Amino acid sequence: MISLNGSHTGRPVFILTGIPGMLEKNPWMAFPLGFLYTLTLLGNGTILAVVKVEQSLHEPMYYFLCILALTDVSLSMSTLPTMLSVFWFNVPEIPFDVCVTQMFFIHVFGLVDSGVLLSMAFDRFVAIRDPLHYDSILTHGVIGKIGLVVFARSVCVVFPVPFLIKRLPFCHPNVLSHSYCLHQDMMRLACASTHVNSLYGLIVVILTLGLNALTILFSYVLILKTVLGIASRAERLKALNTCLSHICAVLLFYIPFIGATMIHRFGKHLPPVVHMLMANIYLLLPPVLNPIVYSVKNKQIRGRVMRVLHGRKSRA
């Protein structure tokens, strides 16, 4: 039996939410969302193309940037199908198994994103602490292994979550708070104890996102200590300047995440539209802004993009 209210004997159908309380405004959101997804693909695709073509960018820092770009695209594509379904086609229903699958990929790529940012902090630490051995330490093989470890860790810690959700019965109206599926959002609709789900989710957040954030902070403490030991002021500024793009990417990831978490935990009195906006900002904004940040802050990427654009204008 399948029903919108769910059941103990069959899989429920979940109802995704567009703009809470303003369903008639949903079609208007299709255009800005389409623009954001287009920017994500163009921006991250440009980063990948520029690094591939420009020989001077074949360095560990830019390989990690490519991994970040691929992760951002994958995270955006994980939310795209249901976003289109809700805002473009006005079809809010999503089967249980499809919802669980989307939830799995969103959480996996979210953790991969955090892991890649940690890897990039390690990259900056090695580049500043031991520049002479930078290329010999972060070889192609080492970078590939780091990428595989980050991805495997994310898959392993998220792997139990679908099974924890599938064991729960759903007997409430299965209306989700967002236009995509998240573990905490599905969990609150269950009509049984969710203590195991909550505890596991908390442990995962602390041991992955929380631990990554602390390690990144510790890395920058060591970087700052190393930079302060450099005699030349110009060299100190040059070293710190290589970290600016990564610092911006870390802030773009963690500030919306912390904001969305705080609102989810302590902002239950706030209007539903606030929860919707914060959750969408957390998932949609970093993939859009990361390529812009690196293009603006990085002279080599910016120069290559400008040469391509200038060449097209000249041919036109």
Side-chain angles (χ1 to χ4, degrees):
M1 182 177 68
I2 298 178
S3 67
L4 296 183
N5 290 331
S7 73
H8 291 276
T9 58
R11 294 301 190 193
V13 172
F14 287 103
I15 307 299
L16 300 167
T17 300
I19 305 176
M22 296 183 284
L23 296 180
E24 70 282 356
K25 302 291 185 181
N26 279 350
W28 291 101
M29 283 293 294
F31 297 101
L33 285 173
F35 179 68
L36 287 177
Y37 279 112
T38 302
L39 279 182
T40 298
L41 292 174
L42 285 177
N44 289 286
T46 299
I47 293 290
L48 293 170
V50 166
V51 173
K52 180 180 179 181
V53 171
E54 189 67 37
Q55 291 293 325
S56 63
L57 300 182
H58 291 182
E59 298 178 4
M61 171 184 174
Y62 299 103
Y63 291 139
F64 282 119
L65 178 57
C66 288
I67 297 174
L68 180 66
L70 288 171
T71 304
D72 283 342
V73 170
S74 300
L75 181 60
S76 295
M77 292 303 100
S78 299
T79 61
L80 178 62
T82 51
M83 287 282 197
L84 290 178
S85 178
V86 172
F87 292 105
W88 284 67
F89 303 111
N90 195 29
V91 181
E93 297 87 2
I94 181 171
F96 178 84
D97 290 330
V98 176
C99 194
V100 169
T101 301
Q102 183 189 48
M103 173 202 70
F104 175 79
F105 283 110
I106 288 176
H107 288 303
V108 164
F109 288 119
L111 294 183
V112 171
D113 222 336
S114 174
V116 174
L117 291 174
L118 173 59
S119 303
M120 295 173 82
F122 174 68
D123 165 77
R124 291 297 82 210
F125 171 71
V126 174
I128 293 173
R129 187 67 176 266
D130 195 2
L132 296 178
H133 299 94
Y134 175 55
D135 290 325
S136 61
I137 294 174
L138 290 174
T139 62
H140 291 179
V142 170
I143 294 171
K145 289 176 183 177
I146 291 174
L148 286 175
V149 168
V150 168
F151 183 75
R153 185 193 69 160
S154 302
V155 170
C156 289
V157 298
V158 178
F159 185 75
V161 175
F163 299 99
L164 292 175
I165 282 290
K166 286 186 175 185
R167 72 184 180 85
L168 297 174
F170 293 89
C171 51
H172 300 306
N174 295 320
V175 181
L176 298 172
S177 303
H178 311 299
S179 47
Y180 45 81
C181 301
L182 297 175
H183 174 235
Q184 59 268 31
D185 203 15
M186 298 174 67
M187 179 181 66
R188 69 178 180 83
L189 299 177
C191 51
S193 174
T194 59
H195 292 311
V196 175
N197 294 64
S198 297
L199 181 60
Y200 186 77
L202 181 62
I203 291 172
V204 167
V205 169
I206 292 174
L207 295 182
T208 54
L209 298 178
L211 186 59
N212 288 352
L214 290 176
T215 309
I216 290 172
L217 181 61
F218 180 67
S219 298
Y220 272 99
V221 170
L222 296 179
I223 288 172
L224 187 59
K225 181 180 178 181
T226 303
V227 168
L228 292 177
I230 300 174
S232 169
R233 182 174 182 273
E235 289 297 320
R236 288 200 298 267
L237 292 175
K238 183 180 178 181
L240 288 174
N241 190 55
T242 64
C243 300
L244 284 179
S245 298
H246 178 252
I247 292 172
C248 290
V250 171
L251 294 177
L252 283 172
F253 179 86
Y254 276 99
I255 289 177
F257 169 74
I258 293 171
T261 302
M262 295 297 289
I263 286 178
H264 176 74
R265 295 288 182 183
F266 307 109
K268 300 187 185 299
H269 61 284
L270 295 174
V273 69
V274 176
H275 292 262
M276 184 272 292
L277 285 174
M278 283 304 300
N280 286 341
I281 287 172
Y282 162 58
L283 287 179
L284 299 181
L285 204 59
V288 173
L289 293 182
N290 281 338
I292 297 174
V293 167
Y294 274 92
S295 298
V296 171
K297 293 291 184 181
N298 190 284
K299 183 170 62 176
Q300 291 172 286
I301 293 178
R302 184 175 68 248
R304 179 66 189 186
V305 172
M306 294 303 294
R307 287 200 299 273
V308 171
L309 294 177
H310 181 71
R312 288 182 176 178
K313 288 181 180 179
S314 299
R315 288 194 296 271

